[in-house]
Amino acid sequence: MTMLAETITERRRQTRNSIYQYMFFSDTPHSKQEIAADLSLSLPTVHQNLTELIEAGLVRRDGTQQSTGGRRAMRLTIAENAHFAVGISVTEDSLRFLAANLRMHEIAYKKTSRLAINEIDDVGSLLADELEIFLDEYGLNRSKLLGVGIAVPAVFDAESQEIALAPTLRLKDINLHHITRHLHYPSYVSNDATSGGYAEWFTQPAQKNMAYLSLENGVGGAVHLNGAPYEGDNRRSGEFGHMCVEPNGLPCKCGKRGCLEAYCSAARISDDLGITLEDFFEGVALHNRTYEELWRDVLSHLAIGINNIRMALDCNVVLGGFLTQFIEPYLSELRQLAASLNTFESNSNYIKLCRYPKRASTLGVALYFIKEFMENI
Ligand SMILES: [Zn+2]
């Protein structure tokens, strides 16, 4: 192919991609006229590209709408079930599988029964076997599967591709290849909180800068700056759980003392008191003094951590992870605590609650393949 022909082909691909992305990020279907006007393209160009996308099964008709002239204009949207991706979350006692379509809607979900992951010799075989069972159980068409993302509560060594630290899983020095080698599909491994932050950030495209603080049995996070994930030099950005919020404080699973994770993880509540989070928050609401004291201590250390993140990054701090579903009644108190620490601001409205408190990391790691697909059409 000549250079000129290549340029023309690439320009045509970009036009088709811009049309697809426009529809991908729209919540409502659009007519060809609307697409042409909004993207400043000619109607024949839009028509030709949409015809190709419809023939490829990637765009579909979605009813009709009355145009101003009285003629009915066809409305179009992406064919959300043309493909799907799978996210797998590995935690210390379970595997969670989630299949998401191109609209990032959950089409299947399964949590395995209790497992002790740190006692399993070959996590890779287990994942591959359980994945096949999941696909069969839900009748998912393997030919439509874009890829499999795996979210692990671990810090990776970027050079050796090994798990450098996984305090809650107690896995160390395992190569990522060990986890993915038996899978028959494209695969990707990511830190769980990074994946959760990715899901939150991707579904709110207007938010250019965002710090995500994940509160689960471990505490982690993710940073997105200028509309892109910021991973850091060693893929360790957003490791907010191991910021020191109390010198010589409570011991942390990482081996240090006084980390935010030691104070604000869901595990602190369930380990200290031996009760479920539901029971704990019921007790707090009923003013059980022991529960209330522990919760005040969690909130005050959380405020320190959040204020430090705000000071370092000057952006919204989105609280995620399963603990977040219980925080709303205490959000104004948390905001006041954080504001009282802040040098520049009298309110802390920059503290937000996440959209996906439950399955953010599993969805986020699947999203990796959906985004890749959407960008390369
Ligand atoms: Zn720590």
Side-chain angles (χ1 to χ4, degrees), residues 241-242 252 254 259:
H242 304 288
C252 179
C254 74
C259 296

Side-chain angles (χ1 to χ4, degrees), residues 165 167 241-243 251-262:
L165 180 71
H242 304 288
M243 296 193 306
C252 179
K253 282 179 180 155
C254 74
K256 303 293 180 193
R257 283 185 167 271
C259 296
L260 185 65
E261 177 169 303

Side-chain angles (χ1 to χ4, degrees), residues 2 5 13 30 37 61 140 156 162-163 189 224 228 249 334 354 369:
T2 65
R13 194 198 69 79
H30 289 285
R61 294 173 178 86
L140 297 167
F156 310 113
E162 285 185 352
I163 291 179
V189 184
H224 292 87
L334 178 64
C354 67
F369 289 99

Side-chain angles (χ1 to χ4, degrees), residues 166-186:
T168 56
L169 281 188
R170 297 183 186 86
L171 287 178
K172 223 190 147 186
D173 302 328
I174 287 185
N175 195 286
L176 297 186
H177 176 67
H178 186 79
I179 297 177
T180 58
R181 64 188 163 157
H182 296 297
L183 297 172
H184 304 301
Y185 317 94

